[in-house]
Amino acid sequence: MRLISPFLFTLLASSFAFGQVEPKSPPEKPAEAAAKTPQFQIEREKAVGEKMDQLQIIKGKTYKDVTIREVNEKGMSILHAGGLARIPLANLPYKLRKRFGYDPKRAAEEVKKEQETARAQVAERTKANEKTREARMEKDREHAQAMLSKKKQAKILELQKRMAIMQTGMNKAQAEVESLTAKADDYRARGRVNVEVRDRNGRVYYSEKVTKSLLNRAATLDKRIAKIRVQIAEANSKMAQLAQQIEDVRHFKGD
């Protein structure tokens, strides 16, 4: 039996190893994942619920009967004898700052993020408010246009009613003028007539007989007729104005 040379055996073993798929690494255990959590973060979580008789911050203020409610980059939120308070990490005593991992640079970045978030929220609210305002303005505009249309129609009807009343009055006035004119003409005709007159010698000639009462009545009617004609002219002018107002109302669009 022929033996395989050491060189060939090494080559075959390398080829076999190259063709195999390397096994996947085992999933990360919870303990290993926890080991990657920063210690200051662990301390922040552990601190929730801790109590202190008093807490004196850097600026000199002292809180009594303190219970820690939350610790994050914004600061430490506490419940104390006087109520609630949030203390920036920078104002905590040195031991607490060190324990909770106070980092001025990280704190500044957190403040910057909060400011950017706040600005984005303000911009979003402003945009939403603007849309709401525009929608309300559009609704108000539509309502105003509808109300304006109703007012225009009511105004037109009012003007047309006034024109109809004036037209009826003018028709009556014109009929009265015609009647008075005929009566005045009759008074004038009967107030001035040619009558046959004979003198002492028996000669006949014609003379105009004047009846003053009839002529006076005719003159009175003439004055009344003139007054009515003025009223008719004024009514015509007013009706023309009303007709123009109707056209103006029909073509008025408003703002």
Side-chain angles (χ1 to χ4, degrees):
M1 182 175 179
R2 188 174 179 180
L3 298 176
I4 300 175
S5 64
F7 174 76
L8 183 60
F9 179 79
T10 302
L11 181 63
L12 291 173
S14 300
S15 300
F16 178 76
F18 180 78
Q20 286 185 333
V21 178
E22 294 185 2
K24 295 182 179 179
S25 58
E28 192 176 38
K29 296 180 180 180
E32 294 176 354
K36 293 182 179 181
T37 303
Q39 184 61 33
F40 70 82
Q41 187 63 39
I42 297 174
E43 291 296 330
R44 291 178 181 181
E45 295 174 0
K46 285 171 55 179
V48 176
E50 289 186 9
K51 298 181 181 297
M52 292 179 282
D53 292 336
Q54 66 177 19
L55 172 64
Q56 184 174 2
I57 63 176
I58 292 178
K59 292 186 177 181
K61 187 172 182 178
T62 301
Y63 298 93
K64 295 184 178 181
D65 298 329
V66 175
T67 301
I68 300 176
R69 302 177 70 242
E70 183 185 10
V71 183
N72 53 35
E73 290 296 334
K74 295 180 181 179
M76 185 172 71
S77 177
I78 64 171
L79 176 64
H80 62 96
L84 297 173
R86 178 176 289 278
I87 306 168
L89 296 183
N91 291 344
L92 294 176
Y94 173 75
K95 289 184 179 180
L96 291 180
R97 279 185 286 150
K98 184 177 180 181
R99 176 185 175 188
F100 297 141
Y102 170 65
D103 184 347
K105 184 177 179 180
R106 192 169 57 242
E109 290 177 353
E110 186 67 21
V111 171
K112 184 178 179 181
K113 286 181 182 178
E114 290 181 0
Q115 291 175 346
E116 291 175 351
T117 301
R119 283 195 292 268
Q121 291 175 347
V122 169
E124 186 175 352
R125 284 197 298 269
T126 302
K127 188 176 181 180
N129 291 338
E130 183 64 21
K131 287 184 178 180
T132 302
R133 188 182 70 84
E134 290 177 355
R136 185 170 59 251
M137 288 180 62
E138 181 62 25
K139 187 175 180 180
D140 292 344
R141 190 180 299 110
E142 291 175 357
H143 178 70
Q145 289 176 348
M147 293 300 295
L148 178 62
S149 179
K150 290 181 179 179
K151 289 181 179 179
K152 285 166 60 177
Q153 293 299 325
K155 183 67 174 177
I156 289 173
L157 290 175
E158 178 189 353
L159 294 173
Q160 288 176 337
K161 185 182 292 186
R162 289 169 60 187
M163 287 179 64
I165 292 172
M166 294 185 71
Q167 185 64 54
T168 301
M170 281 179 55
N171 293 339
K172 290 182 178 180
Q174 288 172 346
E176 186 177 5
V177 167
E178 293 176 1
S179 174
L180 293 176
T181 301
K183 188 177 288 187
D185 290 343
D186 179 61
Y187 286 158
R188 273 189 289 272
R190 289 191 291 124
R192 291 181 177 275
V193 294
N194 292 325
V195 295
E196 185 178 299
V197 180
R198 293 178 180 275
D199 59 10
R200 294 177 180 179
N201 298 322
R203 289 178 298 182
V204 178
Y205 61 91
Y206 290 91
S207 176
E208 184 181 41
K209 181 181 178 182
V210 177
T211 306
K212 290 185 178 180
S213 61
L214 294 176
L215 294 178
N216 288 339
R217 292 173 71 180
T220 301
L221 292 178
D222 288 339
K223 291 179 181 179
R224 186 176 176 186
I225 290 169
K227 186 175 181 180
I228 294 175
R229 290 189 186 279
V230 171
Q231 292 175 351
I232 291 174
E234 291 176 349
N236 272 322
S237 176
K238 186 62 178 178
M239 287 179 62
Q241 293 177 8
L242 293 176
Q244 184 60 49
Q245 288 181 30
I246 290 175
E247 290 301 313
D248 293 343
V249 171
R250 281 177 176 161
H251 294 91
F252 177 69
K253 296 181 179 180
D255 295 332

